[in-house]
Amino acid sequence: MQLGQYEQITFAAQQAGLVRNKVIAPPALLTPQNMELKLVQDPRSTVMDFSWTEVPEAKSYHLQISPR
């Protein structure tokens, strides 16, 4: 079975065959740009603003930030 963008396949032992499902597309990061380097004097007190495109079907967002 070939999948399209933002599709997944599920199956269950009690069910014959595979089931194709649509999944919600991820939001696109607007600011800062992905992998954009930010140099600041005091990282503990610097305020960073993040914005991304709205995903109409989303109930919440999870933002994960890495120090590296």
Side-chain angles (χ1 to χ4, degrees):
M1 183 179 286
Q2 190 168 358
L3 294 177
Q5 189 174 29
Y6 307 121
E7 289 185 332
Q8 68 180 11
I9 291 179
T10 58
F11 63 94
Q14 314 83 353
Q15 185 177 355
L18 303 172
V19 178
R20 182 190 315 243
N21 299 305
K22 289 275 191 186
V23 294
I24 296 174
L29 183 63
L30 299 174
T31 58
Q33 291 182 357
N34 191 30
M35 302 300 288
E36 180 179 344
L37 181 62
K38 292 284 189 179
L39 300 175
V40 296
Q41 292 291 329
D42 185 3
R44 293 186 183 268
S45 65
T46 300
V47 175
M48 294 289 297
D49 291 320
F50 292 86
S51 64
W52 50 85
T53 58
E54 180 183 355
V55 177
E57 300 88 8
K59 295 180 180 162
S60 65
Y61 297 95
H62 177 83
L63 177 63
Q64 184 174 356
I65 300 172
S66 172
R68 301 177 203 271

